[in-house]
Amino acid sequence: QSALTQPASVSGSPGQSITISCTGTSSDVGSYNLVSWYQQHPGKAPKLMIYEVSKRPSGVSNRFSGSKSGNTASLTISGLQAEDEADYYCCSYAGSSTYYVFGTGTKVTVL
Amino acid sequence: QVQLQESGPGLVKPSETLSLTCAVSGYSISSGYYWGWIRQPPGKGLEWIGSIYHSGSTYYNPSLKSRVTISVDTSKNQFSLKLSSVTAADTAVYYCARLFPANGFQDPWGQGTLVTVSS
C-alpha cells in the first residue's frame, strides 16, 4: 500500500487561503469517508485538525476545513496565520487488510 | 484528559528487538478504545504500525506484520510495541496514540520517542 500523495510544499501570505490536496486510490480515499488531517510543528507530535473528511474536533479553528472528491481529499486553511506554518499530513482508512495509510506530508510556509 | 507517554531504550543494535511502552493516564484502557503505534523516520512522513483493542485483538500494517507484536497490560494501564530484527531503516520517532476506528482517526498522541538503530 503506497502512501497518499500530497504536494511537498504550499505557501501563502497572511490572510490568504491555501488548499492542500491528498490523492489516494479507490481502495482508500475513494472508498471511505474516513480521511483525517494532522498538523505537526517541528519537534512536536501530530495534532488532529479534521476527521471524517470535514469534521473539526473541539478547539480547532473554523479556519480549517476539509472536503473530498473521488480519490482526492483536500484541506483548506483560510485566513492564513503565522502559527499555521507547519507540516500537514492526511490519513485514510484503507480497509481491513491495510487499515491506515498516511500522506507524504506538506510543508506549509507563511510568507 | 487522556495523556500518553512513550518510554524505552533510545538505542537498539541491528538484528535485535525494539521494545517500547506507552503509559496511559486519564483513562482506563480496560474501559475500551483502540490503542496504537505510529512512527516517523527523521525528516520523513508518518507510518501506521498497528493497533490493539483493550480485549487484546491486534491489527498490524501488512508490511511490518511479520516483525511486530503489540500487547496490552490493563493492570498497569499501558500497552507495548515489540519490533524484531531491526535495521537502520527502523530508526524513527515512535508515537503511541488512541485510535477511533469508526471515525478513522488517532487522538491524542504521545510526545514521541526517538529510537536509533545502530551498532
Side-chain angles (χ1 to χ4, degrees), chain A residues 33-36 38 40 43-46 48 51-52 89 91 93 97-104, chain B residues 38 40 44-48 59-62 95 99-107 109-111:
Chain A
N33 288 324
L34 296 177
V35 176
S36 53
Y38 301 87
Q40 185 179 35
K44 300 296 186 180
L48 178 69
Y51 68 98
E52 291 184 36
Y89 292 91
C91 178
Y93 179 68
S97 297
T98 305
Y99 301 107
Y100 294 98
V101 60
F102 282 94
T104 50
Chain B
I38 303 101
Q40 184 173 35
K44 296 187 178 180
L46 299 164
E47 179 180 34
W48 185 78
Y59 309 86
Y60 299 135
N61 183 326
Y95 295 98
L99 275 67
F100 293 77
N103 312 97
F105 66 86
Q106 299 89 40
D107 182 69
W109 297 51
Q111 66 182 28

Side-chain angles (χ1 to χ4, degrees), chain A residues 5 17 23 27 30 33 37 53-54 58 61-62 64-65 69 71 73 77 80 82 84 103-104 107:
Chain A
T5 301
S17 293
T23 301
S27 297
N33 288 324
W37 289 89
V53 177
S54 60
S58 174
S61 171
N62 59 10
F64 291 85
S65 62
S69 178
N71 296 338
I77 309 174
L80 199 61
D84 300 331
T104 50
K107 180 176 181 58

Side-chain angles (χ1 to χ4, degrees), chain A residues 7-12 18-20 75 77 80-82 84-88 105-111:
Chain A
S9 63
V10 173
S11 62
I18 62 169
T19 297
I20 304 168
L75 173 71
I77 309 174
L80 199 61
Q81 299 180 1
D84 300 331
E85 188 163 289
D87 292 328
Y88 291 82
T106 298
K107 180 176 181 58
V108 169
T109 300
V110 180
L111 301 172

